[in-house]
Amino acid sequence: RAKERGGDRIECFTATLSQNSLERQELEQCLRDALRNGELQMYYQPQFFMDGRLAGAEALLRWNHPLLGPVPPVKFIPLAEENRLILPIGEWALRESCRQMALWQASTPDPLLLAVNVSALQFAHGDWDTCVVKALEDSGLAAERLELELTESLVMRQGHEDVEPLHRLREIGTRIAIDDFGTGYSSLGYLQRLPITTLKLDQTFIAALQAEPPEMSSEHIVRAVIQLAHSLKLTVVAEGVETEGQRDMLELLGCDCLQGFLLGRPLPADGFEALLESVATRRFLGTRRDPEAE
Ligand code: C2E
Ligand code: MG
Ligand code: MG
Ligand code: MG
């Protein structure tokens, strides 16, 4: 910006810096009020099995500020992590999405999975597994229906004693996913050490599957990750699937589940409910389909 305006670069740079920190402070104050004022919302992005059946949803936070408009997660989640607001916000996100999924689960015979993102701070917090158990109990959602998404960097940072809550949660049936798999540390030792059930292949690998010119290496990486996962009896979810070509390739490579704009964007609760209804309608029509009409 300093370069565009010309003039005294250092002065402009300083002005930009302090303006940014002012914005940050304002944003921080707004975020403090957001939870209380009901400005936070959960969105649900559908996940599908390779045969097209609905597998469940990833719960994603959305913040719509009355004046600022929608603030993207990449902007407010790092901020919330710095000032520890992610603790109450993360707890609310967990409880709200469990409550919602338990209601949906009660209205459909198909088992649905709810994936919830967990930040490093929540993980480091002593009683976070108690918090999860409480959210399950209060909502009535079965532990097997919940998948906690952790990042590689988070998992690598933990000492042995800190992963105890993870083992306790896995013991009651909760699923544990590694989010953005392949972008963090290269050590794979934690796959042995931790009770992981799912790898979520990062969208950068998926995007590279359809790159022009084609990147053969990413195809090999995706193939290898899927083989590794399956030999460890883990489920593989591909994130950020945007094209038919990517889906076809992932099917060929033996991926288990898909998530991405091709199949469905994150939806507010009523939007996801409409999706559930259309799934139910299709099933109903499917069972009474006239064979002569085929
Ligand atoms: P993530 O957990 O890896 O979530 C996937 C992100 O990819 C979401 O972005 C989703 O909207 C986006 N996405 C899904 N399909 C596609 C696609 O086909 N193409 C592209 N380009 N993007 C796709 P979103 O919702 O903006 O969230 C960004 C990140 O913010 C999340 O990445 C997660 O790390 C964090 N986040 C979101 N909600 C929560 C939450 O409740 N708690 C915590 N701790 N973090 C959250
Ligand atoms: Mg995630
Ligand atoms: Mg991810
Ligand atoms: Mg991501």
Side-chain angles (χ1 to χ4, degrees):
R1 195 176 283 168
K3 202 174 167 188
E4 282 166 20
R5 287 207 213 119
D8 188 341
R9 283 186 190 194
I10 292 173
E11 201 171 277
C12 286
F13 181 62
T14 315
T16 308
L17 256 190
S18 57
Q19 206 212 329
N20 281 347
S21 79
L22 190 67
E23 270 175 24
R24 267 183 62 95
Q25 276 173 30
E26 278 168 357
L27 200 63
E28 189 168 330
Q29 190 50 50
C30 292
L31 190 55
R32 277 183 206 287
D33 301 332
L35 193 54
R36 191 175 39 225
N37 295 346
E39 292 160 16
L40 297 177
Q41 223 186 327
M42 294 316 291
Y43 270 50
Y44 301 89
Q45 186 177 28
Q47 298 182 338
F48 295 89
F49 295 112
M50 295 310 298
D51 63 7
R53 274 179 309 130
L54 183 66
E58 176 175 6
L60 294 159
L61 267 167
R62 292 292 179 265
W63 178 19
N64 200 0
H65 187 270
L67 298 174
L68 299 170
V71 185
V74 288
K75 202 163 176 183
F76 74 84
I77 285 170
L79 184 67
E81 278 171 343
E82 279 170 44
N83 59 27
R84 302 179 69 84
L85 278 173
I86 196 68
L87 292 175
I89 290 175
E91 186 177 345
W92 176 81
L94 173 73
R95 295 183 61 83
E96 171 60 16
S97 55
C98 283
R99 182 194 68 78
Q100 183 61 79
M101 186 53 86
L103 285 178
W104 287 332
Q105 190 62 90
S107 69
T108 169
D110 300 326
L112 295 171
L113 198 67
L114 170 71
V116 177
N117 293 284
V118 178
S119 103
L121 253 180
Q122 287 173 277
F123 191 89
H125 212 247
D127 62 351
W128 80 286
D129 58 321
T130 326
C131 198
V132 174
V133 171
K134 187 126 197 316
L136 289 170
E137 281 172 1
D138 291 350
S139 64
L141 188 72
E144 300 77 36
R145 308 266 55 94
L146 178 66
E147 183 162 275
L148 299 167
E149 294 194 2
L150 319 174
T151 58
E152 270 183 311
S153 50
L154 181 162
V155 164
M156 293 296 298
R157 231 186 292 148
Q158 306 302 314
H160 276 276
E161 65 283 10
D162 298 314
V163 299
E164 273 310 310
L166 213 54
H167 285 277
R168 282 198 291 273
L169 288 170
R170 183 65 199 117
E171 264 158 38
I172 63 166
T174 305
R175 299 177 60 85
I176 316 279
I178 300 297
D179 204 352
D180 307 335
F181 183 78
T183 58
Y185 291 74
S186 53
S187 163
L188 295 173
Y190 69 85
L191 292 180
Q192 267 185 320
R193 210 158 38 79
L194 300 180
I196 289 157
T197 54
T198 308
L199 298 184
K200 293 194 80 179
L201 253 171
D202 191 68
Q203 50 192 59
T204 53
F205 297 113
I206 310 307
L209 279 182
Q210 285 281 289
E212 283 294 337
E215 276 181 45
M216 286 309 288
S217 60
S218 60
E219 186 186 322
H220 289 128
I221 290 171
V222 171
R223 187 193 303 272
V225 169
I226 292 173
Q227 279 173 359
L228 170 75
H230 286 170
S231 63
L232 294 170
K233 305 220 160 25
L234 307 179
T235 303
V236 186
V237 180
E239 288 193 280
V241 181
E242 293 182 351
T243 69
E244 302 277 355
Q246 288 165 351
R247 178 174 60 190
D248 293 347
M249 182 71 86
L250 287 161
E251 184 161 25
L252 206 67
L253 296 175
C255 188
D256 303 300
C257 288
L258 303 176
Q259 182 182 344
F261 294 169
L262 175 71
L263 303 119
R265 296 198 169 243
L267 298 163
D270 55 357
F272 193 80
E273 211 159 298
L275 177 75
L276 283 176
E277 275 159 22
S278 76
V279 168
T281 307
R282 270 203 305 273
R283 185 189 313 103
F284 174 71
L285 292 176
T287 55
R288 58 189 287 273
R289 190 181 291 143
D290 180 2
E292 292 195 61
E294 305 245 329

